[in-house]
Amino acid sequence: MINRSRNLFMLFALVLSLLFLTVGCGKNSSSEATPARSTGTGQSGQTTSLDGSTKDKPQSDEPLVVYLNDFDEMIKPLFEEATGYKLELVTGNGAEIMSRIEAEKGNPHWDVVWMDAMPSIHQLGKSGQLLEGWIPKNYENLTDFAKAFVPENHSYYPTGAHAAAVLVYNTKAFTRETAPKSWDDLTKPAFKGSLGMADPAVAAPAYPFVAWFFQNKGMDGGKAYFDALFKNGAKVYPKNPNVAKALTGGEIKVAALQESNAYTLKNQNEPVEIVWPEEGAPASVRVVAIQKQTKHLEAAKAFVEFLLDPKTQQKLIDQGEEAYFEPSAKGATPKKDRAGQAKLVVAEADWAAQHEAEIKQWFADQAVK
Amino acid sequence: MGWFVLAILFLLILLPLAAVILQVLLPGIFFGKLTVGDLSLLFEVFRRPLWLLSLKNSLLLGIGTTLFAALLGGALAMVRAKWSFPTARWLDVANWLLIITPSFILAQGWVMFASSGGIAAEWFGWGWFHSLVFNPLGLIAIMTLSKFPLAYLTVYAALEWKEKRLHDAARLNGGSAWAVLRTVDMPLLLPAYFSGALLIFMDTVGDFGMPASIAAVFRFPTLPYSIYTALYTSPIRFDMAGVLSFYLVLLIALAMGLQFYVLRKSRYDFLTARATRYEPQKPKRFAMLLTTGNLFFLAIVLGIPFGSNLLMSLSDSTTTSGIKGLTLQHYEQLFRNGGPLLESIQHSIGIASIAALVGVILGFLVAYVLTYSLFPYRQVIDVISLISFAVPGVVLGIGYIFIWNQAWLKSVGLLLYGTPWILVLAGIAGAIPITTRIMVGGMAKIPKTLLHAAQVQGAGGIQRMVSILFPLLRAAFLSSVLAAFGTTVFDLAITSILYPPNFITLPVSINKAFENLQFGYASAVTLTGGGLVILIILIVQLIFKENRFHGGRGME
C-alpha cells in the first residue's frame, strides 16, 4: 500500500530544499541592509544642520534603526525633536543585542549600535562591519580621557564611561574604618564569605571589570587574584541587580557593584556606602558605531553627532536611568552625588576583545568548582 | 496529509534548529563562506566542567520533576474529574495561572519567599526554609509545584469521556473503588499520563527562567543556562549553542523512546458508542477533606510565588530588604505610563491569539497523522513536534533569524524577520508541542474503527473529523488552544531575540523592569498582565462550558 520509493523521494526533496535555503543565504551578504518596513515620515530632509553631510547618500524616508541597551525611554523623542529624523529602537541587554547583530550578519537590520560593550564593538570594527574613517565634528570636543578610546580606524566613538564595579558595603556590617578600601583588601580574612560580584559570562559590565585585573596583573596574576577571592568565599551572581539584592538582603556584606546600581541603592536609603578604590574602578565604556552598509548614513551620522553633543550627554545624566557615568564630551558634568575623585581605569579594548573568550571560560568553569 | 504536516514542522521547527546546528559543521555558511567546523566541539561537553555539570543537573532536574509532577498532576486531574466539591474550580484557575506564568516570575516568587532575607525568614522566622529549598531536591520540589499543571491538563482532557460499563463490570465483580482505579482507569489513561510527563520533561530540561532566577541564590547550572552563556558571551558561539542544543534534543529523543517502548505493549483506544461524559460526583463523606486539602495545596503552589509577587508589587521598596510600607505606586506607574505598556499587552495578546489558533489546527493535524495515519515517518514527526519545547527559545530565535532574514526573501515578499509576523511564526512553533501532546492524549482513546465505520458509510475525511473527532475532542481543543495562548503570551526568550523595532511585547517589558531592579513595577506588570490573560481564559472556558451542557449526554 505504501510506496516506499516515493516516500524516500519526498524525504530527499525536503533535505534538498534545506540545502537550497542555506545556499541562498550564502549569496546575500552584500546589498539589502534595511528592514522590510517603510513607515517613514518624510522628515529626514528637513534638517542637515548637525554635520551638513546631506550629499553622502540619497535621502531615505525609512527611520534610523538603533540597537541599544539603555536610555531607550528618553533617546527617541530627544533625537527626533533635535534633528527631525525618525528613530526606531531595538532594546535588549548587551548580550541579546550582540547575538542579534551576529545572527543578522548576512543581512543587517541595524544602522547604529550604541552600547557599553566596547570590546565587542571593537571586534565588529576589526571584522569590517563598521563605518570607518569618518570623524564627527564633535570629535574635537571629546575629553582627553574619552579620546584615548577612539580606535585608529575611527570606527566607533565613546559617549561616556561608568564604573563596571565600585566597592559597596553594608553599613550594618562594616564601618568606614573596617570597610575594604582597595580591591586587594577583598582577599583579606576580614572579608571571608562576605563578598559578591556579577558573573562576567552573563552580565555585560562584569567583563570590563575582570578584564582590567587580567590585563593589569597578567593572565596568571589575574587568575591568582580571583582564585584568592573564590577561596575567600566570594559568591558570583548572574547580574548586578542580583548582587544588589544579595547585599541588601544580607547574603553578602560587600559587593563589587556597577555604579548606577550602587547609587540607586544609596538613593533608596538602603544601608550601604560606596567606596571608590584609590587604584581606580574598572570602567565600562559606552560607544556608538555606524553599520558599514547602512542606507541611512546621513541620519546615522546625525545620531552620532547628537550623542557626542555635551547638551545631550547632560540630559542623559540629568534624566536617564543609568545616569551615573563620566561624560565623554567637554562641558557635560557628572551627577553631583557621584564622588568627585571617581577614578576610572579601563582595560584596552583590543586586549580585552582578544582575551574575552579565554577569561570568560576560565570564570565559568571556576565558578562551578 | 503526512507530507504536509512534515513540511510545515520542517519549516517552522527543524529548519531553524538545523540552521543553528549547521553552524557547528559549516560555521560560515550563512555569511557566504564555506569552511569546515571543528567537530571535536561535540565531545567538549564531557571535558568542560561547567557543561558536564549542566548536563547532569538537567538530567537530574528533568527526571525528578517529571516523576513527581506527572503523578501529582495526574492524580489531581482524576480527583477533580471524579468529585465535585467546593473550591474545585479554584484548582483549574490555579493550573492556568501556573501554566501561563513565566517560570522566571514563579522562581522570583520562591526566591523572594525563601532566600535568607526573604519573607519566610523575616516574617515567620523560618530561618531553616532557605536550606530546605536551595538544594537539588528543593529545586525539584519547586519545579514539581510549577510544572504539574501540564500533566493535569493532559489527563483532565483525556477524562472527558468514560466507558461506564468497564467500571460497572469491575465493581460487579467485586472490585473496590481503588481496584477499579488501579486496574481500569490508570492503565487506560497511560497515554495521557505519558503525554503530560513528556511535556513536563521537555519544559523542565528546556526551562531557562527557573535556573537563571535560582542561580542568584543557589548555583545550579543546567543546559539552557549554559546555552545562554555560550550564546550571550562575546565572542558569540552559535556553534557551542548548537552543540548543547543537540544534547537537549537527544534527551527528548531518549524520553520519547522510553515512552514508545512502554506504550507499545497494549492498545488504548477504548471508546465505543456507549461512552458517557465524565460528570463529577458529590463525595458522600469527605467533601470537607477535599476542600481543606485543596485550599492547603493552593496556599502553597499559588500562595508562595504569587503572594510574594503581590507583596512585592505593593511594597514601598525596590529590594527584598524588608517592607517599608504598602503602596499602590507601582500600579499607578503602570497606568501613568500606560501607553507603551498597554501597547505591549495588545501586541502579546494579538500574537498569542493567532499563534494559538493556528497552533491548535496544526496540533490537531499532527496528532491525527500520528494516531490514525499509516504515514511511514510518524516517528520523525513525533520528535520534531516536540523539539521546539525543549530547545531554548534563544537558540530557535537565532535559527529564525538565519532562515527568515535572507535578502532574497525580500523579492518574494517573505522577509518576515523585522516584522511582527516572525513572532507569530515563532509562537506557532512554540505552541505546536503543547497542542499536539494534548490532542494525542485525547485521540489515543478514540479507536480507528469509529472512523472506519464512518468511512464505510461514505463519509469523507473532513466529514469524519467534523462529525466524530471534533465532538469527542472538544475538551482537548479547549485545553490546547488556551494552553497555547497562555504560554505564548509570556514567552520571553524568543520574543526578546526576535521582536521588531518599536514592537515591544509584554514579557520583554517585564524582563526589562526586572533587569533594572524595578521589582515592584515588574511584579505589578506581571500580575496585571497575568490577570488579564486569566480573565480571557476563564471567559473562553465559560463560553465553551455553556455549550458543553447543550452538547448532549453521550455518544448514543
Side-chain angles (χ1 to χ4, degrees), chain A residues 60-313:
Chain A
S60 161
D61 284 345
E62 290 170 337
L64 182 76
V65 178
V66 174
Y67 283 16
L68 78 176
N69 66 341
D70 276 312
F71 300 113
D72 48 303
E73 282 95 358
M74 53 188 300
I75 205 69
K76 185 174 152 77
L78 279 183
F79 175 68
E80 291 184 348
E81 196 189 329
T83 66
Y85 289 106
K86 194 98 177 106
L87 198 60
E88 282 199 352
L89 304 176
V90 171
T91 323
N93 62 43
E96 281 165 3
I97 295 295
M98 284 313 296
S99 274
R100 256 192 197 234
I101 289 179
E102 193 68 22
E104 286 176 15
K105 210 153 86 181
N107 186 22
H109 285 230
W110 57 283
D111 300 306
V112 172
V113 59
W114 179 40
M115 286 207 309
D116 55 338
M118 187 167 63
S120 306
I121 292 178
H122 183 86
Q123 206 56 38
L124 288 181
K126 272 177 88 176
S127 60
Q129 295 178 64
L130 302 178
L131 178 75
E132 292 173 20
W134 173 65
I135 300 176
K137 278 183 182 166
N138 280 330
Y139 172 73
E140 281 312 320
N141 196 37
L142 287 179
T143 62
D144 293 340
F145 178 69
K147 261 187 193 161
F149 302 125
V150 178
E152 273 178 23
N153 62 3
H154 281 265
S155 56
Y156 58 84
Y157 293 95
T159 66
H162 59 89
V166 285
L167 282 168
V168 185
Y169 64 90
N170 193 319
T171 50
K172 287 178 186 161
F174 297 104
T175 64
R176 191 182 289 270
E177 284 69 40
T178 57
K181 288 168 191 64
S182 72
W183 297 113
D184 283 334
D185 280 354
L186 296 175
T187 57
K188 291 180 178 165
F191 305 107
K192 191 161 183 63
S194 37
L195 174 72
M197 59 177 279
D199 188 346
V202 180
Y207 177 65
F209 168 60
V210 302
W212 177 74
F213 288 93
F214 278 89
Q215 192 185 15
N216 209 21
K217 297 173 186 281
M219 285 303 282
D220 288 336
K223 284 179 187 170
Y225 174 73
F226 285 104
D227 251 341
L229 288 191
F230 288 135
K231 287 209 178 86
N232 212 18
K235 294 193 183 75
V236 176
Y237 296 87
K239 294 186 171 192
N240 277 291
N242 305 124
V243 181
K245 212 158 87 171
L247 183 67
T248 52
E251 269 167 53
I252 53 171
K253 296 176 182 70
V254 181
L257 188 62
Q258 191 270 342
E259 67 169 297
S260 277
N261 284 276
Y263 281 104
T264 304
L265 288 185
K266 218 168 150 351
N267 292 338
Q268 286 164 354
N269 297 319
E270 295 288 348
V272 296
E273 203 51 67
I274 297 170
V275 177
W276 285 81
E278 262 178 38
E279 63 267 45
S284 179
V285 182
R286 191 181 299 275
V287 301
V288 59
I290 300 176
Q291 198 254 117
K292 193 177 191 172
Q293 300 160 13
T294 176
K295 277 191 163 179
H296 311 105
L297 190 58
E298 182 198 321
K301 285 178 174 176
F303 188 73
V304 175
E305 293 283 9
F306 171 75
L307 289 184
L308 297 184
D309 191 325
K311 287 198 289 290
T312 311
Q313 296 194 4

Side-chain angles (χ1 to χ4, degrees), chain A residues 18 91 100 104 109 237 268, chain B residues 15 216 318 405 417 499 515:
Chain A
L18 167 71
T91 323
R100 256 192 197 234
E104 286 176 15
H109 285 230
Y237 296 87
Q268 286 164 354
Chain B
L15 197 60
T318 42
N405 184 35
Y417 177 66
Y499 82 89
E515 286 194 346

Side-chain angles (χ1 to χ4, degrees), chain B residues 189-230:
Chain B
L189 283 173
L190 215 53
Y193 265 91
F194 267 101
S195 282
L198 209 53
L199 274 185
I200 292 167
F201 184 74
M202 317 279 90
D203 200 21
T204 308
V205 297
D207 190 10
F208 170 69
M210 187 76 77
S213 303
I214 301 281
V217 190
F218 171 64
R219 226 178 156 77
F220 192 77
T222 58
L223 277 181
Y225 190 77
S226 295
I227 290 175
Y228 176 84
T229 51

